[in-house]
Amino acid sequence: SGAAQACSWLWLRSDPPALRPAVPVPLLAVLHLLQLGFFFRCLHALKVGWRVCWARAEEEDEQRHMAFLSHDISMLRLFETFLENTPQLTLLLYIILRTNKAELSQGLGMGTAFLCVSWSLLDYHQSLRSFLQDKYELSLGSSIVYFLWNLFLVCPRILAVALFALLWPYGVAVHFPLVWLAMFLWVSLQGTDFMESPGPEQLYRAMVAVILYFSWFNVAQGRTLYRSIIYHSFILVDSTLLALAWLWGRAPSEEHSYLLPVVSAALPCYLLGLGLRVTYYKWLHPNVQAQREGRYDEVDASGGSDGVEFRSFLEPDLVNRRMQWLAQTHFSLSQRAGQHFLNGAAAV
């Protein structure tokens, strides 16, 4: 919560004055110290959204402002999901396995939490797409597949960590820092440029490394195919070793026989998630569908890179640099319609 509040405060301080809420800076600081920064952002977004509902069609700056606010909220929600909710979900699963008992409310809460993790990834991806000038939104089918492949990839990972904790409760205190450090170094080597200064940039990289402990998250421009293969291969091997350690070290008297078929289904579940991801980016991605319909022209876009035009305010000084950088990272496309592989859009 502290890390998310720090990011929210740093973003507000770096935004152009016209994009900041009309609230005194000391009051904003107090709200963030009281862990109310995210709540205040939601209230401010509701206020702007209400103005957008009643604004005239030509007042597009309010719509762009709403897109920027929505993206910041979606990203803070993503941070909260993986820095707070996902570790709590892993802990809850460990407690249920440790006690070998589960209340109905615990089961429902855990199932809902798994769905919320995948939903936060889908929501973040959709909020990024709102920054495209000529946005090709996700269809219902594409959204369902996107949601499912994230769910099928995250569930086995959380299960493997919980099983390893069941065998060696304090082992996670060793495993997590080692994997987190590897992910932090990997993110640093990719040269992110998200925050305004080097210090906050290290905070951003540290938070992304936590996300990468559980799920894929793209942080650099260019082709993501090889980076994605390296990442998923590493996570697959690591999760398999965690599950095998539990199988090797579990006592014969333990009443966890029902976990054997669950563990056996974890690998096919992960492979199914990878298959759905390949299916999404090869056939269901909005850019692929737009390309098939001939909606891509071989011209340079004015607001972005590699043929992608991004939303911007009419005044050049009003730029949300964070969102522009992320959109260029996640939606860098080829200018040629004949180039079929659009992996630059593989954001999360």
Side-chain angles (χ1 to χ4, degrees), residues 245-266:
W246 174 78
L247 288 172
W248 176 72
R250 69 188 185 95
S253 59
E254 287 183 335
E255 298 179 358
H256 291 113
S257 58
Y258 63 90
L259 281 178
L260 290 176
V262 175
V263 174
S264 302

Short mmCIF file of all heavy atoms in Angstrom, two decimals, residues 245-266:
data_model
loop_
_atom_site.label_atom_id
_atom_site.label_comp_id
_atom_site.label_asym_id
_atom_site.label_seq_id
_atom_site.Cartn_x
_atom_site.Cartn_y
_atom_site.Cartn_z
N ALA A 245 9.43 -30.30 -5.40
CA ALA A 245 9.95 -30.29 -4.03
C ALA A 245 8.88 -30.70 -3.03
O ALA A 245 9.14 -31.43 -2.07
CB ALA A 245 10.48 -28.90 -3.70
N TRP A 246 7.64 -30.23 -3.27
CA TRP A 246 6.55 -30.64 -2.39
C TRP A 246 6.26 -32.14 -2.53
O TRP A 246 6.06 -32.84 -1.53
CB TRP A 246 5.29 -29.83 -2.70
CG TRP A 246 4.09 -30.31 -1.94
CD1 TRP A 246 3.78 -30.06 -0.64
CD2 TRP A 246 3.05 -31.16 -2.44
NE1 TRP A 246 2.61 -30.68 -0.29
CE2 TRP A 246 2.14 -31.36 -1.37
CE3 TRP A 246 2.80 -31.75 -3.68
CZ2 TRP A 246 1.00 -32.14 -1.52
CZ3 TRP A 246 1.65 -32.52 -3.83
CH2 TRP A 246 0.77 -32.71 -2.76
N LEU A 247 6.25 -32.64 -3.75
CA LEU A 247 5.99 -34.07 -3.96
C LEU A 247 7.08 -34.92 -3.32
O LEU A 247 6.80 -35.98 -2.75
CB LEU A 247 5.91 -34.36 -5.46
CG LEU A 247 4.67 -33.87 -6.20
CD1 LEU A 247 4.82 -34.06 -7.70
CD2 LEU A 247 3.42 -34.60 -5.69
N TRP A 248 8.31 -34.46 -3.40
CA TRP A 248 9.42 -35.23 -2.84
C TRP A 248 9.47 -35.17 -1.32
O TRP A 248 9.81 -36.16 -0.66
CB TRP A 248 10.73 -34.68 -3.42
CG TRP A 248 11.95 -35.33 -2.84
CD1 TRP A 248 12.41 -36.60 -3.08
CD2 TRP A 248 12.87 -34.75 -1.90
NE1 TRP A 248 13.55 -36.84 -2.35
CE2 TRP A 248 13.86 -35.72 -1.62
CE3 TRP A 248 12.95 -33.50 -1.29
CZ2 TRP A 248 14.91 -35.47 -0.74
CZ3 TRP A 248 14.00 -33.26 -0.41
CH2 TRP A 248 14.96 -34.23 -0.15
N GLY A 249 9.08 -34.05 -0.73
CA GLY A 249 9.23 -33.88 0.70
C GLY A 249 7.98 -34.12 1.51
O GLY A 249 8.05 -34.10 2.75
N ARG A 250 6.84 -34.36 0.90
CA ARG A 250 5.62 -34.53 1.69
C ARG A 250 5.65 -35.86 2.43
O ARG A 250 6.14 -36.87 1.93
CB ARG A 250 4.38 -34.44 0.79
CG ARG A 250 4.19 -35.61 -0.16
CD ARG A 250 3.07 -35.36 -1.15
NE ARG A 250 2.83 -36.53 -1.98
CZ ARG A 250 1.89 -37.43 -1.70
NH1 ARG A 250 1.14 -37.30 -0.63
NH2 ARG A 250 1.71 -38.47 -2.49
N ALA A 251 5.12 -35.87 3.65
CA ALA A 251 5.09 -37.07 4.48
C ALA A 251 3.98 -38.00 4.01
O ALA A 251 2.91 -37.54 3.60
CB ALA A 251 4.86 -36.68 5.94
N PRO A 252 4.19 -39.35 4.07
CA PRO A 252 3.15 -40.28 3.62
C PRO A 252 1.86 -40.17 4.41
O PRO A 252 0.79 -40.48 3.90
CB PRO A 252 3.81 -41.66 3.84
CG PRO A 252 5.28 -41.38 3.88
CD PRO A 252 5.42 -40.02 4.48
N SER A 253 1.92 -39.70 5.67
CA SER A 253 0.73 -39.64 6.51
C SER A 253 -0.12 -38.40 6.26
O SER A 253 -1.21 -38.27 6.82
CB SER A 253 1.12 -39.69 7.99
OG SER A 253 1.97 -38.61 8.30
N GLU A 254 0.40 -37.46 5.49
CA GLU A 254 -0.35 -36.22 5.26
C GLU A 254 -1.62 -36.50 4.47
O GLU A 254 -1.62 -37.30 3.51
CB GLU A 254 0.51 -35.20 4.51
CG GLU A 254 1.58 -34.57 5.37
CD GLU A 254 2.35 -33.51 4.58
OE1 GLU A 254 2.37 -33.61 3.35
OE2 GLU A 254 2.92 -32.62 5.22
N GLU A 255 -2.70 -35.83 4.86
CA GLU A 255 -3.99 -36.03 4.20
C GLU A 255 -4.16 -35.02 3.09
O GLU A 255 -5.05 -34.17 3.11
CB GLU A 255 -5.11 -35.91 5.23
CG GLU A 255 -5.04 -36.95 6.35
CD GLU A 255 -6.15 -36.78 7.35
OE1 GLU A 255 -6.94 -35.82 7.18
OE2 GLU A 255 -6.25 -37.59 8.27
N HIS A 256 -3.32 -35.12 2.10
CA HIS A 256 -3.39 -34.22 0.96
C HIS A 256 -3.43 -35.01 -0.35
O HIS A 256 -2.90 -34.58 -1.36
CB HIS A 256 -2.19 -33.26 0.95
CG HIS A 256 -2.21 -32.25 2.05
ND1 HIS A 256 -1.30 -32.23 3.07
CD2 HIS A 256 -3.08 -31.22 2.31
CE1 HIS A 256 -1.57 -31.24 3.90
NE2 HIS A 256 -2.66 -30.61 3.46
N SER A 257 -4.05 -36.17 -0.29
CA SER A 257 -4.12 -36.98 -1.51
C SER A 257 -4.92 -36.29 -2.61
O SER A 257 -4.66 -36.51 -3.81
CB SER A 257 -4.74 -38.34 -1.20
OG SER A 257 -6.04 -38.17 -0.63
N TYR A 258 -5.85 -35.43 -2.23
CA TYR A 258 -6.65 -34.72 -3.23
C TYR A 258 -5.82 -33.73 -4.01
O TYR A 258 -6.22 -33.27 -5.08
CB TYR A 258 -7.81 -34.00 -2.55
CG TYR A 258 -7.38 -32.93 -1.57
CD1 TYR A 258 -7.20 -31.61 -1.97
CD2 TYR A 258 -7.15 -33.24 -0.24
CE1 TYR A 258 -6.81 -30.63 -1.08
CE2 TYR A 258 -6.75 -32.27 0.67
CZ TYR A 258 -6.59 -30.97 0.24
OH TYR A 258 -6.19 -30.02 1.13
N LEU A 259 -4.63 -33.37 -3.49
CA LEU A 259 -3.78 -32.42 -4.19
C LEU A 259 -3.03 -33.05 -5.36
O LEU A 259 -2.58 -32.33 -6.25
CB LEU A 259 -2.77 -31.81 -3.21
CG LEU A 259 -3.29 -30.69 -2.31
CD1 LEU A 259 -2.19 -30.22 -1.38
CD2 LEU A 259 -3.82 -29.54 -3.14
N LEU A 260 -2.88 -34.37 -5.35
CA LEU A 260 -2.14 -35.02 -6.44
C LEU A 260 -2.77 -34.76 -7.80
O LEU A 260 -2.06 -34.37 -8.75
CB LEU A 260 -2.00 -36.52 -6.16
CG LEU A 260 -1.07 -36.88 -4.99
CD1 LEU A 260 -1.09 -38.39 -4.75
CD2 LEU A 260 0.35 -36.41 -5.29
N PRO A 261 -4.08 -34.97 -7.98
CA PRO A 261 -4.66 -34.63 -9.28
C PRO A 261 -4.63 -33.14 -9.58
O PRO A 261 -4.51 -32.74 -10.74
CB PRO A 261 -6.10 -35.14 -9.18
CG PRO A 261 -6.38 -35.27 -7.72
CD PRO A 261 -5.07 -35.62 -7.09
N VAL A 262 -4.71 -32.31 -8.53
CA VAL A 262 -4.63 -30.86 -8.75
C VAL A 262 -3.26 -30.48 -9.27
O VAL A 262 -3.11 -29.70 -10.23
CB VAL A 262 -4.97 -30.10 -7.45
CG1 VAL A 262 -4.77 -28.60 -7.65
CG2 VAL A 262 -6.39 -30.40 -7.01
N VAL A 263 -2.22 -31.02 -8.64
CA VAL A 263 -0.85 -30.73 -9.09
C VAL A 263 -0.62 -31.30 -10.48
O VAL A 263 0.05 -30.67 -11.31
CB VAL A 263 0.17 -31.30 -8.08
CG1 VAL A 263 1.59 -31.13 -8.59
CG2 VAL A 263 0.01 -30.62 -6.74
N SER A 264 -1.17 -32.46 -10.76
CA SER A 264 -1.01 -33.06 -12.09
C SER A 264 -1.67 -32.21 -13.17
O SER A 264 -1.22 -32.19 -14.32
CB SER A 264 -1.60 -34.47 -12.11
OG SER A 264 -0.98 -35.29 -11.14
N ALA A 265 -2.75 -31.50 -12.80
CA ALA A 265 -3.44 -30.67 -13.78
C ALA A 265 -2.82 -29.29 -13.92
O ALA A 265 -3.19 -28.54 -14.84
CB ALA A 265 -4.91 -30.52 -13.38
N ALA A 266 -1.88 -28.93 -13.03
CA ALA A 266 -1.30 -27.59 -13.07
C ALA A 266 -0.50 -27.36 -14.35
O ALA A 266 -0.59 -26.29 -14.97
CB ALA A 266 -0.42 -27.37 -11.85
#
